[in-house]
Amino acid sequence: MLLAWTLLTALAVPAVPAQAAQVDNIRLWAAPDHARLVFDLSDHAEANIFTLDNPRRLVIDLDQSRLDTDLASMELEGSAITAVRSGVRDGGGLRVVLDLSREVEPRHFTLPPNEQYGHRLVVDMEYPGESAVQNPIDPIEAMIREQEIAANRHRGEAAGESSRIDPEVVAQQPAAPHPRRNIIIAVDAGHGGEDPGAIGPSGTREKDVVLEIARRLQRLIDDTEGFRAVMIRDDDYYVGLRQRTRIAREQKADFFVSIHADAFNSPRPNGSSVYALSQRGATSETAQWLAASENQADLIGGVDGNLSLNDKDEVLRGVLLDLTMTATLNDSLAIGGQVLDQLGRVNRLHKSRVEQAGFMVLKSPDIPSLLIETGFISNPDEERRLSDSGHQQRMSESIFEGIQAHFHSNPPPASLLAWQRDNQRTPSGNEYRIQPGDTLSQIAARHGVPVAQLKQANELNGDVIRVGQVLRIPRS
């Protein structure tokens, strides 16, 4: 009788689902063009996510789940979320409602446990029409501007070479002014958000160290005439590996530098390294291992990291990559050598030459790029140095000095540095290279000589001059 009563009592107790998940924490990272919510779960949970209007809301339903964290402690500043509340769904489960200040495009995925986290539900909210960087450059406008400059130059050259064009008419048409544009440097702080990167023996996180170095590098670039920095991420949030190079291309970057802190399963290795892309794979086992470990970060972004060649567009990209990579890679190696020389003055070098490996963030066929491992965060001594503000400043200065040295020697044609180089007189002081917008009268006045004397010295019969033409300046 006692046994029967015990069984009846047990059956009368409501059954608790065996796979019920508990939400232990909710983490938010706000970026300029999106926000990411990460739900830390005790077990896997299925989610249904949808938006509602009037007012704008995002609803996140988790099956067989319950909340075990304080939503009031969430820091919402910088995101489109104005308030968060939760409740129990009809029929069980958890509902989290986000009040929104703007339209969002949500997507979500789940992640299995790893060394640092358990089960996770990741909810990304993209902001339509927003740029990932501040003060973005309009790529279409930039392209049109460059085409106009090229067209004006072509018309000027044609006028000088074709007898069918009236040179007097052409001479009266002012050339487009030299754009004197800034050289754009895309600065990429590795990892970010829920991806901390490598963690040192004292708990120093790679994502924090490299962001601080990147910010210091940004300030150096922006404080230098003729240069401008674009930060791939300027706070603690995650950016996908392909998205990083996509941002650089959208911003018409002349150079891309990705900053990281190395790690190894032994505390002994130390020193800085510089990597460029290798078309044939890694140049050493260490470089190959590093490339694989860094590329795995894209798994956190919900991307498997594999490039499929089944689609014809991807095949076309591969062909274009093969056609253009050689010149870009040569530039990358040249800049890498300059940066490596400068790094060697402030830190020990792990490798004495520029290494090459298949890092995902370097796979941009038209933008020279480098990945810099500032030091081994797994080495206790180097971990302390990487956390020191003075050492961070010296590292950023050495990186920029290497980049700056290259572009002073090889400035892009439309840049301010190119204009300054071409406007400098030769050591003898009697030559001048014609720039867009120049006229004979302007050049003569600038150098204090009569127009007739300038024409006679250069055997000019008319007023037609060509961009790039070198004029001899007679002594007055």
Side-chain angles (χ1 to χ4, degrees):
M1 187 69 177
L2 180 60
L3 178 60
W5 173 256
T6 302
L7 290 173
L8 182 61
T9 303
L11 292 172
V13 175
V16 177
Q19 298 297 319
Q22 179 175 289
V23 179
D24 298 319
N25 189 27
I26 302 178
R27 294 173 282 135
L28 171 66
W29 284 276
D33 62 338
H34 74 280
R36 167 167 286 188
L37 277 171
V38 178
F39 291 71
D40 291 312
L41 307 170
S42 62
D43 208 331
H44 175 78
E46 294 295 329
N48 180 35
I49 297 177
F50 56 94
T51 57
L52 296 173
D53 293 322
N54 301 319
R56 288 194 182 99
R57 288 153 291 164
L58 181 68
V59 180
I60 304 168
D61 285 341
L62 289 145
D63 292 342
Q64 299 181 1
S65 302
R66 65 185 183 87
L67 187 67
D68 190 26
T69 187
D70 182 14
L71 296 181
S73 63
M74 288 182 59
E75 179 58 59
L76 306 179
E77 184 178 356
S79 74
I81 305 171
T82 58
V84 184
R85 58 187 186 275
S86 66
V88 179
R89 294 173 52 208
D90 293 339
L94 174 66
R95 168 164 291 183
V96 177
V97 180
L98 312 178
D99 294 332
L100 304 173
S101 62
R102 58 163 300 152
E103 178 187 359
V104 302
E105 295 177 354
R107 69 182 184 94
H108 69 281
F109 54 90
T110 58
L111 292 171
N114 61 15
E115 294 179 355
Q116 289 149 352
Y117 300 110
H119 290 274
R120 285 155 291 161
L121 167 68
V122 180
V123 180
D124 282 330
M125 296 178 292
E126 305 288 340
Y127 303 156
E130 291 294 333
S131 171
V133 297
Q134 294 180 345
N135 302 321
I137 299 170
D138 185 340
I140 301 300
E141 181 181 339
M143 181 180 68
I144 293 173
R145 183 179 63 187
E146 291 176 1
Q147 289 175 343
E148 289 175 346
I149 294 170
N152 285 328
R153 182 180 296 113
H154 178 73
R155 284 195 295 269
E157 292 174 352
E161 297 169 1
S162 175
S163 59
R164 293 176 297 176
I165 300 176
D166 185 351
E168 296 298 328
V169 174
V170 175
Q172 295 174 7
Q173 296 178 353
H178 194 290
R180 306 182 194 179
R181 70 169 181 85
N182 290 327
I183 296 172
I184 309 299
I185 309 297
V187 182
D188 172 41
H191 307 280
E194 74 275 24
D195 175 17
I199 299 177
S202 298
T204 305
R205 300 181 300 185
E206 178 183 2
K207 69 172 184 176
D208 300 327
V209 168
V210 299
L211 179 59
E212 183 57 37
I213 295 175
R215 285 171 171 166
R216 292 175 181 274
L217 178 58
Q218 176 196 23
R219 289 193 289 270
L220 290 170
I221 294 170
D222 287 339
D223 288 345
T224 303
E225 184 183 36
F227 288 87
R228 179 190 161 201
V230 170
M231 291 288 282
I232 301 300
R233 72 172 179 96
D234 57 8
D235 212 332
D236 186 17
Y237 52 82
Y238 179 81
V239 181
L241 296 180
R242 291 194 183 95
Q243 176 69 0
R244 295 174 193 246
T245 54
R246 192 177 304 123
I247 292 171
R249 181 174 289 106
E250 289 172 352
Q251 296 304 301
K252 309 293 286 184
D254 297 281
F255 180 67
F256 177 95
V257 55
S258 188
I259 302 174
H260 290 256
D262 220 334
F264 200 66
N265 54 15
S266 164
R268 296 182 61 185
N270 62 87
S272 303
S273 304
V274 176
Y275 288 84
L277 181 65
S278 171
Q279 293 172 285
R280 300 176 181 175
T283 55
S284 69
E285 290 187 14
T286 303
Q288 190 170 14
W289 179 86
L290 258 173
S293 64
E294 294 289 0
N295 292 344
Q296 287 299 311
D298 228 10
L299 288 170
I300 296 175
V303 181
D304 63 5
N306 294 320
L307 180 65
S308 172
L309 297 180
N310 295 328
D311 184 83
K312 62 182 179 181
D313 291 335
E314 296 293 345
V315 173
L316 177 59
R317 290 191 185 99
V319 172
L320 293 174
L321 180 69
D322 290 337
L323 292 173
T324 61
M325 187 62 74
T326 300
T328 302
L329 183 56
N330 288 339
D331 283 343
S332 300
L333 292 170
I335 301 172
Q338 299 266 27
V339 172
L340 196 67
D341 287 344
Q342 296 297 326
L343 283 173
R345 301 180 182 184
V346 299
N347 197 44
R348 182 184 179 277
L349 295 180
H350 183 64
K351 295 286 187 179
S352 59
R353 63 186 179 90
V354 178
E355 293 286 286
Q356 293 179 249
F359 290 108
M360 188 71 70
V361 293
L362 302 182
K363 292 184 178 179
S364 181
D366 52 347
I367 304 176
S369 53
L370 293 174
L371 187 146
I372 297 174
E373 298 284 4
T374 53
F376 277 80
I377 202 170
S378 52
N379 179 291
D381 291 336
E382 207 147 57
E383 179 190 17
R384 284 192 292 272
R385 287 198 297 274
L386 288 171
S387 301
D388 178 73
S389 59
H391 185 73
Q392 292 171 353
Q393 181 66 22
R394 290 188 291 273
M395 292 295 293
S396 61
E397 289 173 354
S398 64
I399 293 170
F400 182 52
E401 286 170 4
I403 296 171
Q404 190 178 22
H406 172 83
F407 281 109
H408 270 291
S409 300
N410 305 276
S415 66
L416 174 64
L417 264 63
W419 180 84
Q420 291 174 336
R421 178 198 63 186
D422 293 337
N423 267 318
Q424 291 176 349
R425 297 183 181 182
T426 59
S428 62
N430 62 352
E431 289 185 356
Y432 175 76
R433 186 181 299 275
I434 296 172
Q435 304 297 309
D438 282 339
T439 65
L440 273 177
S441 60
Q442 289 174 339
I443 296 171
R446 191 181 304 150
H447 292 87
V449 298
V451 174
Q453 189 177 353
L454 185 62
K455 286 184 176 181
Q456 182 180 6
N458 291 278
E459 300 180 352
L460 298 176
N461 296 322
D463 294 328
V464 176
I465 54 178
R466 293 181 290 109
V467 174
Q469 180 181 356
V470 177
L471 297 179
R472 290 194 302 113
I473 308 298
R475 298 185 182 277
S476 57

